[in-house]
Amino acid sequence: MPRHTALESYPAIHHVHKTGWLRAAVLGANDGLISTSGLVVGMAATGADTRTLLVTAAAGLTAGAFSMAAGEYVSVSSQADSEKADRDTEQRELKEEPDLELLELIGIYQGRGLSLELATQVARELTAHNALNAHLRDELGLNERNTARPLQAALASAGAFIAGALAPILVVMLYGGPDLEVVLIAATLLVLGLLGALAAKLGGAPWRPGAARVLFWGALAMGASALIGRLFGASVGA
Ligand SMILES: [Zn+2]
């Protein structure tokens, strides 16, 4: 594979590539953190003991991790299917109508600002070098680096979810004291804020809005869970 050094050293493009992976990982961790913490906070608000809280958290972690993996697998698989179909179509067209395909490529490079002369030369040389790759990349925007990998995506997203879910579990295990809900909510918001800021910073965006957004939704989720736990705990306990 030739290396596209000029393109890769361009910082904005670096950020775009990084945020794809990073965004998925941080979103998965946020999901695991918010949903498991919410579950445990809700249960803690009913006055459940530590054992019940740990069982709840473990069940939430397992169900969530599988749900993330399944969702990601299905969605990335359908993306992979359509990439495969595009590849097959392109391969067939190149075989059956190579002249039309060359014209198509010339048109694409002209549309990007090259003169007819240069576009023709570029299209000819790239077609001679690797016609299928040229079409996949420049006509369909596919390249090997962003090829859909369902199993990898499923494992990454389940792993990120589990990492996020471990935070509230550790809090329950390490802190057995009073006002567990409050400690849990505080710890969850702290980690959420850090994750949000980190994701924004690594993605090249300002960290404050990134942290604020995730904190807002996290606080909403914790508040709702605690409220539901209180209401149900009171009505079931009465
Ligand atoms: Zn084509």
Side-chain angles (χ1 to χ4, degrees):
M1 280 301 290
R3 287 186 52 85
H4 311 280
T5 354
L7 202 67
E8 277 181 345
S9 61
Y10 186 55
I13 291 187
H14 258 310
H15 284 311
V16 171
H17 283 311
K18 241 195 243 170
T19 43
W21 263 103
L22 194 70
R23 209 175 142 269
V26 171
L27 282 181
N30 279 353
D31 264 12
L33 183 57
I34 293 181
S35 67
T36 311
S37 281
L39 211 54
V40 177
V41 165
M43 288 297 287
T46 69
D49 59 16
T50 305
R51 205 184 93 86
T52 310
L53 294 183
L54 284 176
V55 173
T56 304
L61 180 151
T62 311
F66 273 102
S67 145
M68 291 285 284
E72 198 66 15
Y73 188 85
V74 168
S75 119
V76 177
S77 289
S78 71
Q79 193 190 328
D81 288 347
S82 76
E83 281 178 15
K84 167 114 180 35
D86 282 343
R87 180 180 286 268
D88 293 347
T89 308
E90 222 33 69
Q91 207 145 26
R92 180 162 39 78
E93 287 175 354
L94 278 169
K95 206 177 211 173
E96 290 170 0
E97 298 170 312
D99 294 347
L100 270 181
E101 288 298 300
L102 182 65
L103 284 178
E104 185 182 53
L105 215 49
I106 294 171
I108 289 169
Y109 298 136
Q110 268 188 297
R112 290 185 188 168
L114 300 188
S115 67
L116 174 61
E117 212 181 4
L118 186 54
T120 307
Q121 191 189 346
V122 170
R124 283 230 160 89
E125 289 191 17
L126 287 179
T127 299
H129 176 66
N130 188 334
L132 182 60
N133 269 2
H135 281 266
L136 292 178
R137 184 183 60 236
D138 294 330
E139 184 189 339
L140 301 168
L142 301 176
N143 64 44
E144 273 167 42
R145 200 187 304 171
N146 57 27
T147 300
R149 294 186 179 84
L151 196 60
Q152 188 181 335
L155 288 175
S157 117
F161 185 95
I162 291 172
L166 284 176
I169 292 180
L170 281 176
V171 171
V172 175
M173 280 169 41
L174 299 176
Y175 179 87
D179 295 323
L180 180 65
E181 295 160 65
V182 180
V183 176
L184 256 173
I185 290 174
T188 301
L189 293 180
L190 181 74
V191 178
L192 273 179
L194 287 175
L195 277 177
L198 181 76
K201 256 217 132 27
L202 289 175
W207 65 272
R208 275 171 229 264
R213 270 194 293 270
V214 70
L215 276 178
F216 170 77
W217 287 102
L220 204 64
M222 296 300 110
S225 305
L227 187 68
I228 296 288
R230 285 257 155 85
L231 292 176
F232 271 86
S235 68
V236 173

